[in-house]
Amino acid sequence: MKRIALLFGCSLVLATIGCSERMPLHQVTGTVKFSDGSIPQGEMATITFVPTNVMEGKGASSNIESDGSFKLWTLEQGDGGALAGDYRVTLSVTRGYPKLEHMVAREFTDLRDTPLTATVKAGEENVFDFIVEKPKKRRR
């Protein structure tokens, strides 16, 4: 019984410490454009930063605005940005329901294949301008 009480007490202390210290978020902004300079447009358009080491961070995301700009948030929209660290970046730009049409090349939508990366640094201006490709036309 004493062990259970000790374990519960230690867990409570660790949870309190973890919850009381919020890791600092850093503003992250940028743009997404196609190589021809046009903007990826869709009914849904988001960018997601996924930590390269998921055990050490949290992902951040944003809508991609009609001008191609984005401003990341981690816990709630407008919360200030992303944690410092290395990220892989994916896009989801789609239109059409129920059959979704992807508006960017598939490689930019898959976490394993994306060539997009970013390093968010504390105390620095974190502006990322990504150039992506349109999906290849299917042959019929």
Side-chain angles (χ1 to χ4, degrees):
M1 189 65 161
K2 287 182 181 179
R3 277 188 172 164
I4 293 172
L6 181 61
L7 286 173
F8 179 74
C10 289
S11 298
L12 187 60
V13 167
L14 289 174
T16 303
I17 291 170
C19 293
S20 66
E21 292 185 30
R22 185 172 171 184
M23 296 182 81
L25 299 176
H26 309 285
Q27 186 171 337
V28 178
T29 61
T31 60
V32 178
K33 294 182 180 177
F34 288 122
S35 57
D36 67 5
S38 63
I39 308 297
Q41 299 285 323
E43 293 164 0
M44 300 240 347
T46 59
I47 185 167
T48 304
F49 280 47
V50 179
T52 55
N53 183 347
V54 294
M55 301 303 284
E56 293 182 2
K58 286 188 172 291
S61 62
S62 173
N63 290 329
I64 300 170
E65 302 299 329
S66 60
D67 65 354
S69 67
F70 66 88
K71 184 175 181 181
L72 290 185
W73 54 276
T74 297
L75 300 173
E76 59 187 41
Q77 196 161 6
D79 69 5
L83 297 170
D86 295 321
Y87 293 87
R88 297 194 70 154
V89 180
T90 61
L91 304 173
S92 178
V93 183
T94 59
R95 71 175 176 202
Y97 181 82
K99 186 177 180 186
L100 294 179
E101 179 183 359
H102 293 273
M103 307 309 294
V104 296
R106 184 72 77 185
E107 68 187 357
F108 299 102
T109 67
D110 189 322
L111 187 59
R112 293 174 306 230
D113 295 333
T114 183
L116 305 178
T117 61
T119 299
V120 175
K121 297 180 181 177
E124 291 189 23
E125 188 173 354
N126 294 287
V127 178
F128 301 98
D129 296 314
F130 296 110
I131 304 296
V132 299
E133 298 299 324
K134 295 179 181 180
K136 292 182 174 58
K137 302 277 185 188
R138 290 187 187 173
R139 293 184 188 171
R140 293 183 185 225

